[in-house]
Amino acid sequence: MGSPAAKKVLLTSNGDEISSNIALQLAQRGCRLVLMGKESSLRSVAEKIRGSLEGVVSIEVVGVDMEEEREGVFDEAVDKACEILGSLDAFVHCYAYEGKMQEHLQLCEDEFKKIMKINFMSAWFLVNAVGRRMRDHKSGGSIILLTSIVGAERGLYTGAVAYGACSAALQQLVRSSALEIGKYQIRVNAIARGLHLEDEFPKSVGIERAKKLVNDAVPLERWLDVKNDVASSVIYLVSDGSRYMTGTTIFVDGAQSLVRPRMRSYM
């Protein structure tokens, strides 16, 4: 499927297991990494990756507040990443915040703004900042946005309207951006991941109940494996093996989204 070896990758993360394991697997394949997000949590992620791999591991951290409303802050953060890496081959945006499951009529204004700033505004600013640098460097690149099945028509579940709207917006951003910046040899794709047991929806119905009903709720009869299921698709999109792929959302969900309209009857 192609190797991402020696690629220079900027990856946003909130320190969660999925993004941490994506970073680990990219580092294992020889990628040079800059992790971006809350500096204190990402320092420990970077140290853990260095400690688990033999030899020299190129992984640095750039801090940025994903709730920031000023585009210049994200532009400066991407500048710092470019100073470390020299240029960018790929940008993997994993940072997300879903919030607690609740009916949107009860969602307070502050929580709504937090969801929007973290899940859409930050992605918008970063895609533009990264895209400009890839354009100016004249080497093209790969932009990958990690989203959720709740952002797709076939992947709805209740209690996450604002988060779902942001995920849908990112998937549309991928399509529209691919049309506009493809002329610079920049590819833009998304991954819509399925749910794992620590996600808010399974927790809201009860972990034990979710475990018992997984065979009915998921055609592959298991929830998402945070260590392995998403990373392989990211590796493919970072690599040159996906050089003719853009404007696409890949569903990595075990076909959860195909049964999602009936999920409530199961869960």
Side-chain angles (χ1 to χ4, degrees):
M1 72 177 179
S3 171
K7 295 288 187 183
K8 292 171 282 189
V9 182
L10 170 60
L11 184 146
T12 65
S13 169
N14 61 2
D16 62 291
E17 283 193 87
I18 291 177
S19 59
S20 296
N21 279 289
I22 290 171
L24 172 63
Q25 294 200 34
L26 287 171
Q28 287 174 333
R29 287 160 176 79
C31 291
R32 295 177 59 197
L33 297 174
V34 168
L35 304 183
M36 182 175 288
K38 187 177 180 180
E39 191 167 0
S40 58
S41 61
L42 293 184
R43 290 282 177 203
S44 61
V45 172
E47 285 304 317
K48 186 176 180 180
I49 291 174
R50 291 189 191 100
S52 65
L53 300 178
E54 296 181 358
V56 178
V57 179
S58 178
I59 179 168
E60 302 295 338
V61 173
V62 171
V64 69
D65 180 3
M66 291 294 175
E67 291 187 62
E68 178 59 62
E69 297 181 9
R70 294 170 295 167
E71 184 172 13
V73 171
F74 293 95
D75 208 57
E76 289 175 9
V78 172
D79 264 344
K80 291 179 182 178
C82 289
E83 288 173 5
I84 294 169
L85 296 173
S87 61
L88 294 175
D89 295 312
F91 168 54
V92 185
H93 184 56
C94 301
Y95 203 108
Y97 170 76
E98 185 170 14
K100 299 296 182 184
M101 296 292 96
Q102 60 182 307
E103 185 180 280
H104 69 87
L105 299 181
Q106 299 174 332
L107 187 66
C108 71
E109 182 179 354
D110 286 345
E111 180 71 355
F112 169 75
K113 288 180 177 178
K114 180 177 181 178
I115 290 170
M116 288 294 162
K117 285 187 286 188
I118 292 176
N119 296 301
F120 183 72
M121 288 180 64
S122 68
W124 172 269
F125 292 146
L126 287 166
V127 165
N128 284 338
V130 169
R132 284 191 290 266
R133 284 154 183 80
M134 288 180 172
R135 176 200 63 192
D136 295 345
H137 198 258
K138 295 181 170 56
S139 60
S142 178
I143 294 174
I144 304 149
L145 305 183
L146 185 60
T147 71
S148 167
I149 58 172
V150 75
E153 183 179 354
R154 73 189 203 197
L156 299 177
Y157 56 85
T158 58
V161 174
Y163 176 64
C166 290
S167 291
L170 291 186
Q171 291 175 34
Q172 183 61 30
L173 174 60
V174 160
R175 291 187 286 270
S176 299
S177 183
L179 281 173
E180 294 203 355
I181 64 177
K183 60 189 175 184
Y184 305 119
Q185 301 305 305
I186 301 171
R187 296 177 287 114
V188 190
N189 294 287
I191 296 171
R193 71 166 182 85
L195 301 177
H196 59 84
L197 280 173
E198 293 302 315
D199 277 322
E200 293 299 329
F201 183 72
K203 287 197 296 186
S204 72
V205 300
I207 298 296
E208 292 305 315
R209 179 174 174 78
K211 287 179 179 179
K212 290 177 182 178
L213 297 178
V214 65
N215 289 358
D216 293 325
V218 186
L220 286 187
E221 299 186 348
R222 66 176 178 83
W223 297 103
L224 183 86
D225 176 357
V226 297
K227 291 186 177 180
N228 299 300
D229 286 341
V230 180
S232 58
S233 295
V234 173
I235 290 166
Y236 169 65
L237 291 175
V238 168
S239 77
D240 293 335
S242 61
R243 63 188 177 276
Y244 202 62
M245 187 171 183
T246 192
T248 297
T249 295
I250 300 174
F251 282 76
V252 181
D253 68 347
Q256 289 178 30
S257 59
L258 298 182
V259 299
R260 178 64 64 192
R262 297 184 289 129
M263 181 64 79
R264 179 55 66 184
S265 64
Y266 296 135
M267 303 289 283

